[in-house]
Every structure is written in C-alpha cells, then in structure tokens.
Amino acid sequence: SQQGEEDPQALSIQEGENATMNCSYKTSINNLQWYRQNSGRGLVHLILIRSNEREKHSGRLRVTLDTSKKSSSLLITASRAADTASYFCATDENNAGNMLTFGGGTRLMVKP
Amino acid sequence: DAGVIQSPRHEVTEMGQEVTLRCKPISGHDYLFWYRQTMMRGLELLIYFNNNVPIDDSGMPEDRFSAKMPNASFSTLKIQPSEPRDSAVYFCASRYYRVGREKLFFGSGTQLSVL
C-alpha cells in the first residue's frame, strides 16, 4: 500500500519557472525523503527531512514538512530541462521496522 | 563502490516459465529491499531483509513469488510460474540504516516482460 500521495500527478512548466510538488501521508513518521527517477532508471535520493524539522534546503531544492497536516512539499527553483523526471516522496514510518513506503510520484516536464 | 547491481537488465519470458532476478547490494549495507514498479500500482514494496533475514514479506503478491538472501552480498527474487501480470520493473535497493544515513540506494532495475 502507498503511504504518501503526491500532488499533482503530472506537472509541465517552462524552463526558469519554479516547480512545486506536494506529498501527503497517513501515519507518524521518523523522516520523509524525496527521490528522483529519470526515465528507465532507478530512483536517486535527493533530500531528507526529519520529523522535528520544518524546512530544509539543498541547492535549488527546498523541502517543507508539516507534521500536523501530515504533508510535505518539494520546491525546485529556476527549473532546467534536465530536471525533467518523476519525483517521489517516501516515508520512514515509526514502528515500521525501518522500511520506506513510496507515493505514486509526480511526473515533471520542464520545457526548454 | 559500484552501487547496487541488478541482473539481468531486461528479461523476456513466456508465461509459465521460472524467472530469477538477482541483486548485489552495496558492501556494508545491512538492509535490502525489493520493489516492483508498474504504471497502475506505482512502486510497491515486496519484501525486505535485515542482516540477510527476511523481516516483512507482506507485499509479496502470492506464493509464486519467493526471495532469498543467502549472504550479505547477494539476493534473488524468483517467480515460478510467471504470468503476464507480473510484467513490471523490479528494483532492488539497499541501505546502511543509522541515524543520519537513512537514504536508500537503488539499482537500475530489471524490466520483466512475461508474454
């Protein structure tokens, strides 16, 4: 079963614009992670935010976490065509034996 | 390190045949996960191991699926007999679970087509 649900399922923007993807989850978590998947490839870890953190930055990535609403957002600023990929949130749940549960993903297309 | 290595990269087989997917995790990692990805169901966790011991196999679809991890450097996922609905991309991932090092490392996946 999927813990996280991403919104929107697909997003198309122009190069230079910002892209925002949202993730909602159901149970309490230790941390939430975002991954990227290029077509035909495995997932690559982007950023992790812990349950006691509210915001985190890494380069052009900004992640927020609201544990009261059980939601997270990933912002990619000044997007580039190379950012075209699918983005997944994954939750590291409390009392879940250290397994990660992934959402359905957001397909991002950045047009040059 | 070469990362998580999966083989084969592509597998085409006929319904009823046995399929074996292989995975070599990153050296030193103590958790290994098998996921299946389809358009309809997204990324599903099938089974995961900790120190070569299966911890949770509740995601394994049915008895046709089995997974083993005979040692820390090798795992297999077997489907016998295979069915067309098993067609998917199967990913293996590993991690060394400690606070501050929770991220997963994925292999490139095995694209399975069952005709």
Side-chain angles (χ1 to χ4, degrees):
Chain A
S1 63
Q2 294 179 358
Q3 158 80 311
E5 293 295 333
E6 280 92 340
D7 168 54
Q9 290 187 332
L11 180 61
S12 181
I13 59 174
Q14 292 294 136
E15 210 165 26
E17 293 179 340
N18 295 342
T20 300
M21 289 159 266
N22 303 296
C23 169
S24 60
Y25 58 92
K26 297 174 184 150
T27 63
S28 61
I29 60 173
N30 294 317
N31 64 73
L32 185 145
Q33 304 178 31
W34 285 91
Y35 287 77
R36 166 188 167 135
Q37 183 181 32
N38 284 29
S39 180
R41 301 290 192 94
L43 282 72
V44 175
H45 181 268
L46 292 176
I47 192 167
L48 178 152
I49 187 165
R50 300 190 184 286
S51 58
N52 62 352
E53 297 176 312
R54 292 297 167 258
E55 188 171 311
K56 204 159 183 182
H57 296 256
S58 176
R60 293 185 296 112
L61 303 180
R62 173 178 169 253
V63 171
T64 62
L65 180 65
D66 187 333
T67 53
S68 67
K69 294 181 180 178
K70 292 187 168 58
S71 66
S72 173
S73 68
L74 171 68
L75 169 68
I76 303 174
T77 60
S79 62
R80 306 166 182 167
D83 295 328
T84 295
S86 291
Y87 293 82
F88 295 84
C89 68
T91 49
D92 210 336
E93 302 168 34
N94 290 338
N95 304 317
N98 300 325
M99 69 179 197
L100 273 185
T101 305
F102 285 81
T106 293
R107 293 187 308 281
L108 173 66
M109 175 174 287
V110 181
K111 301 176 199 173
Chain B
D1 199 312
V4 177
I5 300 173
Q6 290 186 247
S7 64
R9 189 79 173 87
H10 301 276
E11 177 80 36
V12 180
T13 190
E14 293 188 346
M15 184 174 63
Q17 296 298 307
E18 177 179 297
V19 174
T20 300
L21 311 181
R22 296 173 175 79
C23 175
K24 176 178 167 50
I26 292 173
S27 177
H29 282 192
D30 54 359
Y31 280 85
L32 184 140
F33 301 78
W34 282 100
Y35 288 91
R36 177 172 71 175
Q37 186 177 37
T38 61
M39 288 294 292
M40 290 295 294
R41 301 175 67 88
L43 201 60
E44 303 173 276
L45 176 64
L46 300 177
I47 185 172
Y48 75 100
F49 297 82
N50 176 219
N51 292 324
N52 314 337
V53 176
I55 302 300
D56 188 338
D57 66 354
S58 59
M60 297 285 261
E62 47 198 274
D63 292 345
R64 297 184 298 106
F65 286 68
S66 63
K68 294 182 180 179
M69 192 164 185
N71 56 62
S73 59
F74 184 64
S75 177
T76 60
L77 178 67
K78 186 176 292 187
I79 308 172
Q80 166 63 18
S82 58
E83 297 182 2
R85 60 193 167 119
D86 302 330
S87 298
V89 181
Y90 291 80
F91 287 104
C92 176
S94 70
R95 68 175 172 178
Y96 175 72
Y97 191 85
R98 299 295 184 272
V99 174
R101 300 179 65 176
E102 296 95 332
K103 69 180 183 181
L104 271 184
F105 293 82
F106 279 79
S108 297
T110 294
Q111 174 80 58
L112 174 64
S113 297
V114 183
L115 307 177

